[in-house]
Amino acid sequence: LKNNLNERYTMKNIDALIQQYHDELHNRVLPFWLEHSQDKEFGGYFTCLDRDGSVFDTDKFMWLQGREVWLFSMMCNKEGVRPEGLECARQGAELMPRYGHAGDYNWYFALTRDGKPLVDPYNIFSYTFAAMAFAQLHKATGEERYAEATRRTFQHIMERWDNPKARWNKAHAGSRDMRALAPSMILCNLLLEIEHLIEPQLVEESIEKALGDVMNDFYRPELGLVVEHMNADGTLSDTFDGRLINPGHTLETMWFVMDLARRRGDEELIRKAVEIGLNTLEFGWDKEHGGIFYFMDSKGAPMQKLEWDQKLWWVHIESTIAMLEGYLLTGDERCKEWFEKLHDYTWSHFRDEEHPEWFGYLNRRGEVLLTLKGGKWKGCFHVPRGLYKCECLLKELKQKMEK
């Protein structure tokens, strides 16, 4: 691996890449959220921010509140506590337990600015990001109340595993019962975030369950792809939902799997994750205009989702992480080539040259569809996490070169 890396990277350009990701995170993205997102009157965060950071809607979405608490707590834990970062994390952590759940940590999806519930606790991601948020804030502060919030929320997540939307599930039971990738996907990441607060045997059992779901069930060797939904009995469904492929979801999941595989020292699992990621990029890349399609049909049938050909920020950032980590761990030249292609596309299309933070939504041709920097689905998460993760992976790559 050492010779392979040295042939293609010099210390100078590795250092330049590290600096590029570092500066973007610390000089542009984090200051944007610190300055514009904090609601100093009612607590929590504004996430509906226009191009320049101005607030265009004040509703608060619990999964995005949790993500921002997590992000600033994580940065404190990884790079040392900075008062403004810890204060920002607490800004959301005080709102969430007070107004964000319906009792016993059943987390609403949305609140008004002053904390009145708008949308009931139907969304499992409100739970997963609350658990992640409080686990990281517990690390930063040592306060037991945050640990307890994590444990009780995680208990609810496991209780709802087979029916994540619980009584808010609109599907008619018994007609076409299906399972979704999303809970298993997020568990692959969540467990590494909260394992210091959960009983070790439960952590290991849950990791086995999540990995088995993703790599043995939702991954279909006959397609070479990961499907978003399958029948409850484990078979494929020849329907809109059953044929749905979300390349970004798959690639994000694959770097979660690589992180778990590194923890276990499982090189075979790493190689399998890399191959799935490469297959997904070959399938999902728009060969005419560049970038990764948002949704695809495994059989190439017409799409039900009208936004299928949009290019989204998180899809490209998560795919960049997956290919960089794959190259770091395997030295596979295909990962390096895809990392470079993804890096170039992402930085040239999503980065806003005039204002901090990145655009989220492009049309198929790569033109900006919405100038917003945050909304109901985009918050303080994928861009800063991706910049930080890539910086860390590049530093590891440099260390391997120096050995």
Side-chain angles (χ1 to χ4, degrees):
L1 178 61
K2 177 183 176 182
N3 291 336
N4 193 14
L5 299 178
N6 281 330
E7 287 174 4
R8 290 159 178 82
Y9 283 121
T10 66
M11 290 295 185
K12 183 177 180 180
N13 59 29
I14 282 283
D15 284 339
L17 279 172
I18 292 170
Q19 197 64 47
Q20 180 178 354
Y21 281 92
H22 179 88
D23 288 347
E24 185 72 10
L25 174 64
H26 289 279
N27 298 336
R28 298 184 88 239
V29 173
L30 292 180
F32 176 89
W33 292 100
L34 283 169
E35 179 180 353
H36 298 295
S37 71
Q38 298 183 76
D39 183 351
K40 297 295 188 179
E41 182 177 356
F42 291 99
Y45 313 111
F46 302 119
T47 61
C48 296
L49 304 177
D50 212 339
R51 185 180 183 184
D52 61 355
S54 56
V55 178
F56 65 86
D57 196 285
T58 60
D59 288 350
K60 293 172 179 172
F61 308 98
M62 282 303 98
W63 74 310
L64 296 182
Q65 301 292 306
R67 283 180 163 192
E68 190 158 347
V69 173
W70 174 85
L71 191 284
F72 280 101
S73 299
M74 180 275 294
M75 293 302 299
C76 286
N77 292 327
K78 296 292 187 182
E79 298 207 335
V81 173
R82 297 181 181 180
E84 67 274 19
L86 184 58
E87 178 59 31
C88 185
R90 288 188 182 277
Q91 177 87 3
E94 294 306 312
L95 173 93
M96 290 178 68
R98 186 177 304 144
Y99 301 113
H101 61 91
D104 196 29
Y105 298 93
N106 283 296
W107 297 93
Y108 293 118
F109 180 74
L111 309 175
T112 62
R113 181 185 179 187
D114 58 355
K116 296 181 179 65
L118 285 172
V119 182
D120 282 331
Y122 82 96
N123 192 302
I124 195 71
F125 287 105
S126 298
Y127 292 68
T128 57
F129 289 107
M132 285 174 58
F134 291 121
Q136 283 293 326
L137 191 54
H138 172 262
K139 277 187 179 181
T141 65
E143 294 185 29
E144 180 58 27
R145 60 183 174 135
Y146 299 135
E148 180 63 15
T150 295
R151 295 188 190 100
R152 291 172 67 180
T153 300
F154 182 67
Q155 182 180 355
H156 289 313
I157 293 169
M158 300 310 290
E159 289 168 352
R160 290 176 57 161
W161 195 253
D162 293 327
N163 184 16
K165 293 185 179 181
R167 64 185 176 87
W168 295 278
N169 192 337
K170 63 184 179 182
H172 186 80
S175 295
R176 185 185 291 156
D177 294 336
M178 301 185 77
R179 296 178 58 209
L181 170 68
S184 301
M185 166 205 174
I186 198 62
L187 193 62
C188 288
N189 182 234
L190 174 63
L191 288 162
L192 291 181
E193 295 286 339
I194 69 173
E195 64 175 324
H196 61 290
L197 298 175
I198 306 299
E199 196 275 318
Q201 183 177 347
L202 178 58
V203 171
E204 296 304 322
E205 290 173 353
S206 300
I207 287 174
E208 285 297 324
K209 175 177 175 56
L211 285 174
D213 280 353
V214 171
M215 304 302 279
N216 299 327
D217 296 338
F218 287 95
Y219 170 62
R220 312 303 296 201
E222 66 269 37
L223 300 175
L225 300 168
V226 174
V227 296
E228 285 292 304
H229 306 96
M230 63 181 179
N231 292 322
D233 63 3
T235 59
L236 291 177
S237 173
D238 192 7
T239 59
F240 281 123
D241 287 337
R243 296 190 304 267
L244 186 67
I245 305 294
N246 184 329
H249 254 178
T250 297
L251 283 147
E252 184 178 8
T253 307
M254 288 308 105
W255 75 255
F256 295 166
V257 171
M258 285 185 231
D259 280 357
L260 287 171
R262 295 177 79 178
R263 178 182 180 275
R264 302 168 66 171
D266 191 335
E267 294 185 6
E268 182 178 351
L269 182 59
I270 290 172
R271 287 193 294 271
K272 184 176 180 180
V274 166
E275 287 299 327
I276 292 172
L278 290 166
N279 288 344
T280 303
L281 278 168
E282 290 291 345
F283 180 77
W285 186 259
D286 183 346
K287 296 173 178 58
E288 182 178 355
H289 297 285
I292 304 168
F293 289 117
Y294 188 15
F295 293 111
M296 300 187 76
D297 186 284
S298 64
K299 290 186 174 182
M303 291 297 304
Q304 179 191 38
K305 293 182 179 293
L306 301 182
E307 70 274 27
W308 71 274
D309 64 347
Q310 290 181 16
K311 312 294 170 59
L312 268 67
W313 83 108
W314 70 266
V315 171
H316 293 77
I317 292 168
E318 301 303 333
S319 301
T320 303
I321 295 170
M323 289 297 101
L324 181 54
E325 187 159 2
Y327 184 56
L328 170 70
L329 298 179
T330 67
D332 191 314
E333 279 294 297
R334 296 171 296 170
C335 292
K336 172 187 172 290
E337 292 166 4
W338 273 112
F339 165 69
E340 292 174 342
K341 183 184 289 191
L342 287 160
H343 169 90
D344 290 345
Y345 184 92
T346 302
W347 282 80
S348 63
H349 287 79
F350 290 100
R351 186 178 188 269
D352 184 352
E353 296 291 337
E354 296 183 28
H355 297 279
E357 245 292 342
W358 290 14
F359 298 121
Y361 303 89
L362 313 178
N363 64 20
R364 182 176 177 182
R365 294 182 299 276
E367 300 160 341
V368 175
L369 274 174
L370 298 170
T371 59
L372 60 79
K373 298 299 177 58
K376 183 177 181 179
W377 307 111
K378 183 180 188 292
C380 180
F381 188 66
H382 286 288
V383 175
R385 182 180 73 167
L387 293 169
Y388 181 74
K389 181 77 173 177
C390 285
E391 180 188 348
C392 292
L393 292 169
L394 287 163
K395 287 178 177 177
E396 282 194 74
L397 192 58
K398 180 180 176 179
Q399 290 173 355
K400 282 198 171 185
M401 292 171 61
E402 292 174 335
K403 288 182 180 178

